[in-house]
Amino acid sequence: MADVVLGIETSCDETSAALLVRGSQGPELAGLVILSQDVHKVFGGVVPELASRAHLTAIGPVVDRVLLEAGLPLSAVDGVAVTAGPGLVGSLMVGVCYAKSLAAVGRRTLIGVHHLEGHVFAPLLEDPFLEPPFVALIVSGGHTLLLDVPEWGQYRLLGETRDDAAGEAFDKVASMLELGYPGGPEIERIAKQGTDRFDFPRPMMGAGLDFSFSGLKTAVLYAVRGAADLDADKADIAASFQAAVFDVLISKARTAVLETGHPTVVLGGGVACSRTLVAQAAERLRSVARVAVASPRLNADNAAMIARAGWFHLDNGRRSDLSLEAEARMPWPGLERSTPSPSRKAVE
Ligand code: KG4
Ligand code: ZN
């Protein structure tokens, strides 16, 4: 148990710190600072070496800043939750070392958190009555997962991507269309001016709950190469690509709801920052489930979600010791891989 938890997230290109304090209805967010590393925009993707150096420069000031924002002294912090993986190992190490130092020096309890578990907990920060059982669809730059969550802390993997993550496909398509990085927000913006007229494939639709986005990406590449005037077709290609990705994501979430009977779908991860995805999911799932999603600031990588997941584990008596290590491919504690059911059929 802890009463003030400092969260630290440095798994990719955001240096973030957050403070959660014990309130009457559970933990309350007292401060959140997210510093996005702009340097990667020049390269069109994250450069790991530059990311870890930037975290090293930023971590101290970011933690100082969140304490100032919350009006709390460092001495008030009695728990430290940090992303231990998965992610870029050099980046993770900065956060993990900083968290371990704070824990050792101040005799604070330490908890290492799985980054994706953080994304599952994000909506709970704004909706304290959110309760399992639910289906979680976690869509980020590195992962695309469908989970059955019967209890907080228990996860059954229903499906995952066999190749690219959805966010990664957004970033690559944006680069083909000569849009900026990260690609998701750029595609969402330009797609608003386009129509879904390219009829791109919906990979693995109707074939279980796994995903695949590489074939779709290739179809977009052919459309880009075949365009007589790319500037004229850009918005329609973006709209058609986005429609194909969201159609697959929402259809599979719907199938998962019908299979599990859960009343709620939690949407999380960077791609859930898309208001288009959230609106379409709410509309198409309305007859079977409610959609729970955090505001964009809490869906992109941030330390508040890490602090919230860490808080749950600390409250349940778990803690890490000073041997905690950053792990690029960290296994997810509590994740069970389900055996695929042969009779599984898509409903749409
Ligand atoms: O969860 P996240 O912040 O970082 C990882 O853990 O990977 O996700 C980042 C991903 C990027 O690929 C970005 O293009 C995508 O989320 N993204 C979006 C939108 N905003 C961010 N994808 C589609 N539409 C958006 N509006
Ligand atoms: Zn993430």
Side-chain angles (χ1 to χ4, degrees):
M1 286 256 285
D3 289 315
V4 181
V5 169
L6 171 70
I8 294 178
E9 153 67 37
T10 63
S11 68
C12 192
D13 57 346
E14 263 86 30
T15 315
S16 179
L19 279 164
L20 283 185
V21 298
R22 193 171 291 278
S24 55
Q25 291 189 340
E28 286 169 9
L29 187 60
L32 170 61
V33 175
I34 306 170
L35 187 70
S36 293
Q37 302 176 354
D38 270 356
V39 59
H40 308 288
K41 285 196 182 358
V42 184
F43 300 95
V46 179
V47 184
E49 170 74 17
L50 295 181
S52 29
R53 283 171 188 265
H55 285 305
L56 210 48
T57 318
I59 187 73
V62 164
V63 169
D64 289 349
R65 180 65 191 258
V66 82
L67 288 164
L68 198 70
E69 195 179 278
L72 288 168
L74 181 59
S75 58
V77 174
D78 54 358
V80 183
V82 61
T83 308
L88 301 171
V89 78
S91 292
L92 289 162
M93 269 163 63
V94 176
V96 168
C97 287
Y98 200 87
K100 286 194 331 190
S101 318
L102 286 178
V105 170
R107 295 182 174 277
R108 301 176 173 96
T109 50
L110 174 70
I111 184 83
V113 173
H114 193 280
H115 179 82
L116 295 172
E117 186 171 33
H119 279 303
V120 176
F121 272 87
L124 190 57
L125 289 159
E126 293 168 322
D127 179 359
F129 299 108
L130 174 67
E131 263 183 350
F134 55 74
V135 165
L137 174 62
I138 305 301
V139 260
S140 72
H143 298 86
T144 305
L145 300 175
L146 252 181
L147 303 162
D148 167 7
V149 183
E151 297 282 347
W152 289 114
Q154 286 179 27
Y155 312 96
R156 189 165 64 92
L157 185 66
L158 298 173
E160 64 187 325
T161 183
R162 298 201 178 166
D163 39 58
D164 291 358
E168 192 182 351
F170 267 93
D171 294 335
K172 286 181 180 161
V173 166
S175 139
M176 291 177 207
L177 296 176
E178 293 161 356
L179 302 169
Y181 176 84
E186 293 291 313
I187 298 226
E188 186 182 20
R189 184 179 54 77
I190 189 173
K192 290 201 173 94
Q193 293 135 36
T195 47
D196 173 13
R197 67 173 173 86
F198 274 84
D199 198 22
F200 286 137
R202 269 71 172 149
M204 296 191 69
M205 191 79 124
L209 294 177
D210 277 350
F211 303 90
S212 163
F213 295 107
S214 71
L216 170 59
K217 208 179 57 190
T218 310
V220 174
L221 183 65
Y222 285 138
V224 169
R225 283 194 186 149
D229 178 359
L230 185 58
D231 279 339
D233 285 348
K234 238 180 212 184
D236 290 349
I237 293 177
S240 307
F241 162 75
Q242 180 177 266
V245 174
F246 290 173
D247 194 9
V248 177
L249 292 175
I250 298 168
S251 296
K252 298 210 178 219
R254 191 169 198 279
T255 306
V257 166
L258 296 175
E259 284 191 6
T260 57
H262 295 340
T264 308
V265 172
V266 162
L267 267 186
V271 181
C273 293
S274 166
R275 301 219 182 254
T276 313
L277 172 63
V278 174
Q280 288 183 8
E283 168 67 25
R284 285 186 50 195
L285 296 173
R286 193 169 42 199
S287 60
V288 291
R290 158 178 106 88
V291 172
V293 61
S295 50
R297 191 165 185 239
L298 299 173
N299 270 326
D301 287 350
N302 71 86
M305 66 184 196
I306 301 302
R308 187 63 190 84
W311 186 289
F312 165 79
H313 288 301
L314 291 174
D315 260 6
N316 283 280
R318 286 183 280 272
R319 61 207 53 229
S320 306
D321 60 29
L322 294 177
S323 66
L324 180 69
E325 279 190 43
E327 287 179 81
R329 297 177 165 273
M330 181 182 178
W332 186 338
L335 181 78
E336 179 198 311
R337 287 175 183 270
S338 64
T339 36
S341 132
S343 63
R344 201 179 260 160
K345 278 219 299 260
V347 198
E348 290 183 337

